[in-house]
Amino acid sequence: MLADLTALLGARKVRGADPDDLAPFARDESHCGAFPPAAVVLAESRADVEATLRFASERRIPVTPCGARTGKAGGSLPIRGGIALSLERMDRIIAVEPGDGMMVVEPGVITGRVMEEAERVGLFYPPDPNSWESCTIGGNVAANAGGPRALKYGVTGDYVLGLEAVLADGEVIRTGRRTLKGVAGYDLTALLVGSEGTLAVVTEITLRLVPLPKAVRAALCIFPDATAAARAVAQVLAAGILPRTLELLDDQAIAAADSRGPFRFPLGAGAAILAETDGDDPESVMAALVRLGEIAVEAGALDVLVAQGESQRRELWATRRQVSLALKALYPRKVSEDIVVPRSKIPQAIERFKAIGREHGLQVATYGHAGDGNLHTNVLFREEEERPAVDACLEALMRETLALGGTITGEHGVGLAKRAFLPWEQGPVLIDLQRRLKATFDPLGILNPGKIFPEDR
Ligand code: 2HG
Ligand code: ZN
């Protein structure tokens, strides 16, 4: 296979002879393990993607698309071997059109660059997965990624107007539009966003941009415990304030973040909320933050620290963004979840998750996007022997989430990590309908096989 693929695409774009070249494509940032592909294609253009998929279809070789491999659910792991199709080299910003409020990009562009390019022309690309400095926009589209600002601004899919994609047989499709409105035909753009590379390989993305808010203010509210913090989140939102973020850190997350700096949490902090308000009028942005702080104090906050200036605001965010890595440094076997519960259930969920951890003799850290109910419950452990308890704990967490009216994944995708749980949330009719959609797009089943749906047949 390798020789034919190399003859087709050229040696510069194909790897496979040296196992060291394959190793980075065997893993992502999930706990799912290593699955080396037989070959890696480093596509440089849509034509390379078309050629690879035609080649793979003719030979029925699995193809797993990938970007920066920062996923947390094993979505881009080549679990059946075959070809890892990397889109990282397709990293051109094709057009920025401030007049039309949009940008056209290739999938390998780093998300942070999309944000910067938008801001350069006074516009805003709001979705901000915490890995924005390293993840790619194509990966964000595949998972329909979100981030802290999703509370006010929504997730990746809310900004995708149209896609160019290559089907499993090598045919090219263009879905959606380059206009702000448009309702022609089924919304296939929405179907492809979040399909985790199982339906088509995206080669071009048209993004909607919005005006850049002129003022942003941040505050860190310190609480004695996570339940008080969760109560404050509910009360802020009930008061009709819509901050752009309401990020929760529980005691474990604080301890981990504190160990790496740059921000030092006050002694006695059992939980924290990182809140940010934005808008065009600096005074009303500050007034909303002050009101938010008052509500936090009424709900039991010990202190409210308003960031003085941009550098302190950035410092707070740098601290929040490294929680995941800091926890992983302390507990190399951290399993990260991204469940969502209805907002009103957040305090209950946090208490139940801690109790479930205790029942299984495990530490459970909870942090993340509390404002929209999207919590990162991380099961933390050190020894592989603890794995059966971890699996039982994860199952209990998922069951509890669903009992609270929630969903098993809010931003990382189902991938490999959560495919066994999907039937707990969605009935057999819905799963079967999705399998049939998959078969329509990819009749040979070569595109990212084994993902999203359980392998029970
Ligand atoms: C975050 O919000 C990321 O920090 C990662 O989604 C979450 O590792 C995690 O649990
Ligand atoms: Zn997150």
Side-chain angles (χ1 to χ4, degrees):
M1 186 236 307
L2 208 55
D4 290 345
L5 206 49
T6 309
L8 182 71
L9 295 164
R12 197 181 69 229
K13 299 177 195 164
V14 180
R15 300 279 180 278
D18 182 349
D20 285 352
D21 288 339
L22 302 176
F25 296 87
R27 289 187 182 276
D28 62 2
E29 288 181 11
S30 71
H31 61 283
C32 292
F35 299 87
V40 177
V41 169
L42 302 157
E44 293 179 1
S45 65
R46 187 188 79 197
D48 291 342
V49 175
E50 289 173 60
T52 305
L53 287 170
R54 271 197 305 270
F55 175 92
S57 277
E58 279 157 19
R59 293 166 179 76
R60 305 200 173 207
I61 298 169
V63 176
T64 302
C66 63
R69 303 176 305 281
T70 54
K72 304 269 180 193
S76 65
L77 297 178
I79 59 172
R80 303 263 173 82
I83 299 171
L85 175 53
S86 166
L87 286 312
E88 273 172 298
R89 286 187 182 171
M90 292 180 62
D91 64 351
R92 286 181 314 138
I93 306 254
I94 296 168
V96 184
E97 319 232 343
D100 287 337
M102 64 189 64
M103 185 188 296
V104 184
V105 297
E106 286 187 327
V109 176
I110 301 292
T111 306
R113 236 183 101 208
V114 173
M115 296 170 172
E116 277 164 24
E117 288 293 323
E119 286 178 29
R120 229 168 33 83
V121 294
L123 292 174
F124 188 32
Y125 177 69
D128 58 342
N130 266 325
S131 52
W132 55 262
E133 284 163 318
S134 51
C135 64
T136 62
I137 190 76
N140 297 174
V141 168
N144 198 2
R149 298 196 293 234
L151 171 60
K152 179 169 179 182
Y153 288 103
V155 296
T156 305
D158 295 312
Y159 295 85
V160 179
L161 293 171
L163 295 169
E164 175 192 83
V166 185
L167 296 174
D169 61 4
E171 287 291 329
V172 178
I173 55 168
R174 276 189 168 273
T175 71
R177 54 194 200 271
R178 280 196 185 208
T179 53
L180 287 177
K181 287 168 103 176
V183 293
Y186 293 150
D187 191 350
L188 294 184
T189 307
L191 179 61
L192 291 184
V193 174
S195 64
E196 305 190 36
T198 61
L199 299 180
V201 179
V202 169
T203 47
E204 193 184 289
I205 305 154
T206 302
L207 293 168
R208 177 171 75 91
L209 305 174
V210 296
L212 183 67
K214 295 188 180 63
V216 185
R217 296 300 301 255
L220 189 72
C221 311
I222 306 292
F223 294 86
D225 54 52
T227 312
R231 253 195 333 260
V233 167
Q235 286 172 18
V236 165
L237 295 166
I241 301 173
L242 185 57
R244 75 177 188 179
T245 75
L246 278 174
E247 292 286 296
L248 171 90
L249 286 83
D250 77 352
D251 50 348
Q252 305 252 17
I254 288 180
D258 215 33
S259 68
R260 287 162 76 114
F263 181 80
R264 290 271 169 268
F265 287 83
L267 276 177
I273 297 284
L274 177 50
E276 202 164 67
T277 52
D278 71 352
D280 283 341
D281 170 30
E283 273 170 30
S284 53
V285 170
M286 191 57 198
L289 195 69
V290 168
R291 181 73 197 113
L292 185 153
E294 287 165 0
I295 296 172
V297 170
E298 283 157 26
L302 305 170
D303 208 351
V304 176
L305 313 165
V306 175
Q308 302 301 317
E310 193 52 20
S311 75
Q312 216 173 58
R313 188 176 78 85
R314 284 182 195 279
E315 197 175 86
L316 286 176
W317 278 106
T319 305
R320 158 62 185 98
R321 266 205 308 281
Q322 61 174 315
V323 169
S324 180
L325 289 176
L327 279 169
K328 203 160 182 158
L330 296 175
Y331 299 90
R333 299 197 200 280
K334 147 179 147 46
V335 176
S336 154
E337 297 300 342
D338 63 319
I339 59 91
V340 195
V341 293
R343 266 179 354 202
S344 58
K345 298 288 188 334
I346 299 169
Q348 205 179 330
I350 288 178
E351 291 204 336
R352 281 298 300 137
F353 294 163
K354 288 273 180 214
I356 289 171
R358 277 195 303 274
E359 284 155 24
H360 292 83
L362 292 161
Q363 308 266 26
V364 172
T366 300
Y367 61 99
H369 324 299
D372 52 29
N374 183 197
L375 299 170
H376 295 304
T377 43
N378 280 205
V379 180
L380 308 168
F381 63 116
R382 292 204 171 90
E383 307 299 335
E384 201 44 43
E385 296 81 74
E386 295 175 83
R387 180 66 72 172
V390 172
D391 289 342
C393 182
L394 289 174
E395 291 192 5
L397 287 171
M398 291 300 166
R399 296 270 187 212
E400 185 65 35
T401 299
L402 294 170
L404 290 168
T407 172
I408 60 170
T409 175
E411 58 174 10
H412 297 166
V414 178
L416 178 60
K418 276 161 278 184
R419 65 181 188 180
F421 303 129
L422 191 70
W424 299 1
E425 176 171 338
Q426 301 185 342
V429 177
L430 191 57
I431 291 186
D432 194 55
L433 178 63
Q434 292 175 89
R435 285 192 201 271
R436 281 184 280 140
L437 278 169
K438 157 81 175 155
T440 301
F441 277 78
D442 174 22
L444 302 175
I446 61 161
L447 259 182
N448 205 2
K451 302 298 168 55
I452 303 182
F453 309 111
E455 276 200 309
D456 55 2
R457 45 181 223 170

